[in-house]
Structures are given as structure tokens and as C-alpha cells.
Amino acid sequence: MAHFITFLLVLSLSLTFSLLPETASAQLRQNYYAKTCPNVESIVRNAVTQKFRQTFVTVPATIRLFFHDCFVQGCDASVIIQSTGSNKAEKDHPDNLSLAGDGFDTVIKAKQAVDAVPSCRNKVSCADILAMATRDVIALSGGPSYAVELGRLDGLSSTAASVNGKLPHPDFNLNQLNSMFAAHGLTQTDMIALSAAHTVGFSHCSKFSNRIYNFSRQSAVDPTLNRAYATQLQQMCPKNVDPRIAINMDPNTPRAFDNVYYKNLQQGKGLFTSDQVLFTDKRSKPVVNAWAANSNTFNSAFITAITKLGRVGVKTGRNGNSRRNCDAFN
């Protein structure tokens, strides 16, 4: 009997633990603020649109901020927290130093706009505002619009140490990309779809200079790189280039969120190794070809992937709160 009771206890514990992540994401729903702040989505959209009109950088900066947030401790706005004398926060980890200030500013401006409505003040989390702002910048730049699930709370910790090994690097191969995304319940198809955020991104030369100057003993230039494109990159990024110089990741339609990203890969114009590998690896190549040919198929796969991304590591209950200021704990 004692063994049976122990078995039941273990079973109930294992069920509890296996349900934990699901329970958090199950709390997310599209009309989460219907009673507390019914106009939250239009308030955020207006603030984001205003910021977008000031600078296009708003688009890639906000999307990247969302991704870097969700991949480290989940989608909990912990990446926005400022470091203090006693705590070095996520945003000051080397992998996050290139996050553009316009992404942070977009969330902070949208939060101010939400809190300017008395009934909404301190009711809407920064994590949800970042999720909404991401959807809005994608739509503003010509990408698909989609319904955002809401109900995330803001995280209670943010440390630079927690970023170690959690973000993909430009030199990753397909196995490395797949295992990193799989750790968050994202499939290879999701990974290929989310990589298309590079259709509006920009990069500093140092992130890919090895592909155009010192790729291997056999070849200074990466042989998977389009020759004319490689020459163009060398002109834009000479060897002793100013480290602040950034170039468009999509050489053809850098200000449009579109499937041209995949057409570029077909031509050997993926800027990072981690981009081009999606076409050179036979396991992912068919998806690249399908989405290069059909933007509707890509759009629906992207919506599925970014919705799943938004469910990663969601904080609920006592594991989070709604911050009064997005860049500081309450």
C-alpha cells in the first residue's frame, strides 16, 4: 500500500511539473485585458506607429528585442531591465549590447501611452506591450498581422549571466540552430520562419567579416556566398571598417517584411552563415524553396512560429508582476 501511495505521489508530482509550462501559456488569451484596459491594443499601436514614423529602425529593433527577451528566461521583459550597482542585467551581456535603443524606447513609449489612461495604469505588463509592439512593427513594415495572445507578467530577475549560451550566433549550423530552438518547443520549421526577421534587420560588419576575408585555408571567401554579393560586402565593410557601421541584412527589400529573405538565400545572399545554411543544408532547403515561391504559406508559418515564441517561459501568479517602469523592478 505504501508503495502504491508513493507511486501516486510521484505520478501527481510529475504531472504537476509536466503541466507547469502549459499552464502558464494556457493563461494567455487574446482578450486578456477586455475588462481592465479594453483599448490597450489600439493605444499600443498608435504609440508604435508614431515611433515607426520617426525611424524605421523601430521595426528590426523591436522584433529583435522580443526574440532576445523570450529566449532568455522566457517572454517576461527581463531584457529591458537596467543594470544597477549590485546587478548586471541581461541587456549588458555581450550578446545583447547590439540591441538597438529604439526597441527599448518603443516599449517604454507605448507603456507611457497605456499608463496615461487612468483605468489602464499599471494593469498592462511590459512583456505584453513588447509582444503587441512586435506584432505592430511587423504589420507596419508589410508583414502579416495577427492576433496576439496576452496575459504575461513581467519577470522578477534579470542577470547577464543568464544569457550565456542562450542566443543563436551568426556562425551556427543547422544542428545548433535546431537544438537551441527545440529547447523552447520550437520546430525546425518555426526556426526557419523566425529567421525571416532578418528580412528587415541590419548587422555590424564584425558579425560576418570571416565570410568575406578569412573563411578557411582553402578559400578566403565563403564559397556558399554569391560572388558579386561578397564583393559588394567587401566594399561596404573594408578590413579596418568603423565598428559602428551597420549594413542591411536583406540587400533587396531592406524595409519590407517579406519572403524575399528566402529568395536571397536561393541566390547565395544570406548574410550570416546561420542564414545561408538554411538553403545549403538539404534538410531545410525544401522549406526555403517553398516559402520563396509562396508568400502566403510563409506568412501563415511565421504567424504560427511567433505565436509559439510568445508562449515561451511565460510568468504568471507569484512568478511575476506588472512593472510600473519597464526598465526597473517595482
Side-chain angles (χ1 to χ4, degrees):
M1 186 68 183
H3 287 300
F4 181 65
I5 290 169
T6 308
F7 167 74
L8 283 178
L9 189 62
V10 170
L11 182 66
S12 86
L13 277 172
S14 67
L15 280 171
T16 306
F17 283 112
S18 67
L19 286 171
L20 277 177
E22 284 306 310
T23 319
S25 61
Q27 184 190 319
L28 297 183
R29 57 183 193 274
Q30 288 171 18
N31 58 349
Y32 186 82
Y33 295 103
K35 291 194 173 77
T36 47
C37 183
N39 297 326
V40 65
E41 296 197 44
S42 60
I43 297 167
V44 170
R45 189 176 295 114
N46 289 341
V48 172
T49 304
Q50 212 171 335
K51 176 75 185 169
F52 170 76
R53 285 181 183 145
Q54 290 165 5
T55 172
F56 184 82
V57 178
T58 304
V59 176
T62 304
I63 300 170
R64 191 156 174 253
L65 190 64
F66 183 58
F67 180 80
H68 280 230
D69 183 38
C70 294
F71 260 45
V72 180
Q73 302 197 88
C75 311
D76 64 353
S78 53
V79 73
I80 303 175
I81 290 289
Q82 295 273 14
S83 293
T84 61
S86 57
N87 178 55
K88 187 179 177 187
E90 282 177 37
K91 69 180 293 192
D92 288 318
H93 184 279
D95 286 356
N96 280 333
L97 292 176
S98 60
L99 288 170
D102 287 303
F104 297 92
D105 191 51
T106 299
V107 177
I108 286 161
K109 293 264 167 58
K111 166 76 169 158
Q112 287 167 352
V114 170
D115 283 352
V117 178
S119 61
C120 297
R121 187 166 301 140
N122 300 328
K123 299 266 173 52
V124 182
S125 68
C126 301
D128 275 347
I129 288 173
L130 176 54
M132 286 182 265
T134 300
R135 180 265 312 271
D136 295 335
V137 296
I138 289 165
L140 283 165
S141 53
S145 191
Y146 52 93
V148 177
E149 296 177 339
L150 301 168
R152 302 162 190 78
L153 291 179
D154 296 326
L156 305 176
S157 81
S158 174
T159 64
S162 65
V163 182
N164 289 336
K166 291 286 166 35
L167 294 166
H169 282 209
D171 58 355
F172 270 16
N173 62 32
L174 195 70
N175 289 343
Q176 291 169 306
L177 289 167
N178 279 340
S179 65
M180 185 166 277
F181 279 70
H184 300 295
L186 297 161
T187 64
Q188 176 176 284
T189 305
D190 296 327
M191 180 274 292
I192 301 168
L194 292 169
S195 297
H198 288 170
T199 182
V200 286
F202 53 87
S203 167
H204 294 97
C205 297
S206 60
K207 298 288 183 204
F208 58 87
S209 59
N210 66 308
R211 296 190 71 206
I212 55 175
Y213 290 119
N214 54 346
F215 184 69
S216 69
R217 280 185 179 175
Q218 290 75 33
S219 172
V221 176
D222 183 340
T224 66
L225 202 54
N226 177 296
R227 286 277 160 223
Y229 185 47
T231 305
Q232 198 184 339
L233 291 174
Q234 287 168 339
Q235 287 164 353
M236 290 189 285
C237 292
K239 279 189 176 167
N240 298 317
V241 68
D242 181 332
R244 291 168 300 184
I245 294 290
I247 69 150
N248 292 323
M249 296 195 71
D250 178 343
N252 290 315
T253 57
R255 285 175 170 242
F257 192 102
D258 56 21
N259 68 331
V260 172
Y261 170 76
Y262 302 107
K263 297 179 185 182
N264 291 336
L265 299 184
Q266 290 175 320
Q267 296 163 22
K269 294 180 182 177
L271 188 60
F272 293 163
T273 300
S274 59
D275 293 311
Q276 196 55 49
V277 74
L278 303 180
F279 184 72
T280 54
D281 194 305
K282 62 182 188 296
R283 292 170 292 172
S284 45
K285 185 175 184 172
V287 176
V288 170
N289 286 336
W291 292 347
N294 190 324
S295 60
N296 291 334
T297 323
F298 157 62
N299 284 344
S300 72
F302 181 82
I303 292 169
T304 299
I306 201 152
T307 302
K308 283 170 71 175
L309 175 63
R311 295 171 183 159
V312 172
V314 165
K315 306 293 185 297
T316 58
R318 284 176 300 182
N319 296 322
N321 58 25
S322 283
R323 274 182 225 141
R324 286 188 285 275
N325 295 307
C326 291
D327 60 2
F329 296 120
N330 287 351

